[in-house]
C-alpha cells in the first residue's frame, strides 16, 4: 500500500527523489496499491496549471509530502545555481593550476636538456658537409 502524508485540499503532492536531485508536483487522480497516478502541475501567473497527460509514479523512489512545496523547489533551484557557480570556479581553478604545472614542467625539461644534451646524428653532419 502507498504510504505518505495526507493530501492537501487540492490533491497536490510534492515528490522529492530519494537521491535529492529532483522535485515534482503531482495532482493525484488515483491511488493504487503500488503506484500513484496523477498529472504534473506547475504554477504560471499565480495559477496552478496541469499537464494534460496522466503518469504512473512508483512512490518507492520518492519522499512524498503534502501540498505544493514551492519553498523546497526554490531552495533546490538556489542550490543548483550555487552549485553551478562552484563548479565553474573549480573548473577555472583547475585550468589555472594545469597552466602553472605545464610551465613548471617545461622549465624542468629545459634544465634537464642542458644537463643531458641530445645525441648528435652522424648523418646530419655528413649531409651538412656535402650540402655546403
Amino acid at each position: 500500500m502507498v504510504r505518505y502524508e495526507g493530501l492537501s485540499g487540492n490533491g497536490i503532492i510534492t515528490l522529492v527523489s530519494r537521491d535529492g536531485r529532483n522535485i515534482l508536483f503531482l495532482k493525484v487522480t488515483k491511488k493504487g496499491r503500488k503506484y500513484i497516478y496523477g498529472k504534473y502541475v506547475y504554477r504560471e501567473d499565480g495559477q496552478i496549471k496541469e499537464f494534460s497527460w496522466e503518469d504512473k509514479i512508483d512512490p518507492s523512489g520518492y519522499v512524498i509530502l503534502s501540498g505544493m512545496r514551492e519553498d523546497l523547489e526554490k531552495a533546490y533551484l538556489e542550490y543548483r545555481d550555487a552549485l553551478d557557480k562552484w563548479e565553474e570556479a573549480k573548473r577555472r581553478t583547475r585550468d589555472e593550476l594545469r597552466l602553472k604545472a605545464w610551465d613548471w614542467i617545461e622549465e624542468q625539461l629545459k634544465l634537464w636538456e642542458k644537463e643531458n644534451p641530445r645525441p648528435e646524428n652522424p648523418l646530419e653532419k655528413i649531409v651538412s658537409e656535402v650540402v655546403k
Side-chain angles (χ1 to χ4, degrees):
M1 189 67 177
V2 176
R3 297 188 54 165
Y4 51 88
E5 292 181 16
L7 292 174
S8 63
N10 56 9
I12 296 175
I13 58 174
T14 299
L15 302 164
V16 178
S17 63
R18 294 212 179 264
D19 63 5
R21 294 180 181 212
N22 202 1
I23 186 167
L24 305 167
F25 303 120
L26 190 75
K27 183 172 186 177
V28 177
T29 56
K30 179 178 152 187
K31 295 178 280 181
R33 289 181 179 256
K34 185 173 180 183
Y35 298 103
I36 298 172
Y37 299 84
K39 295 181 178 184
Y40 296 106
V41 295
Y42 61 98
R43 187 174 300 276
E44 183 179 289
D45 300 326
Q47 300 287 327
I48 295 176
K49 301 200 176 188
E50 60 186 50
F51 291 101
S52 59
W53 68 90
E54 185 177 78
D55 202 0
K56 175 173 74 172
I57 303 291
D58 181 356
S60 65
Y62 298 93
V63 172
I64 301 173
L65 305 169
S66 180
M68 193 167 176
R69 296 290 307 271
E70 293 172 291
D71 59 321
L72 295 177
E73 180 185 40
K74 181 181 177 198
Y76 181 71
L77 292 175
E78 289 171 356
Y79 157 75
R80 290 295 311 182
D81 288 342
L83 181 62
D84 289 344
K85 290 176 185 172
W86 179 84
E87 287 176 343
E88 177 63 22
K90 180 180 176 182
R91 184 193 62 75
R92 275 189 265 109
T93 301
R94 182 186 318 113
D95 291 346
E96 290 171 10
L97 291 171
R98 283 182 176 159
L99 282 173
K100 288 178 184 176
W102 183 257
D103 291 343
W104 180 82
I105 289 169
E106 288 298 312
E107 288 174 18
Q108 296 303 311
L109 278 174
K110 284 179 185 176
L111 291 173
W112 183 85
E113 286 175 352
K114 285 181 184 176
E115 296 171 0
N116 302 286
R118 181 179 174 194
E120 292 183 17
N121 183 348
L123 297 179
E124 287 178 354
K125 186 177 181 183
I126 294 169
V127 170
S128 65
E129 290 175 1
V130 172
V131 173
K132 286 184 182 180

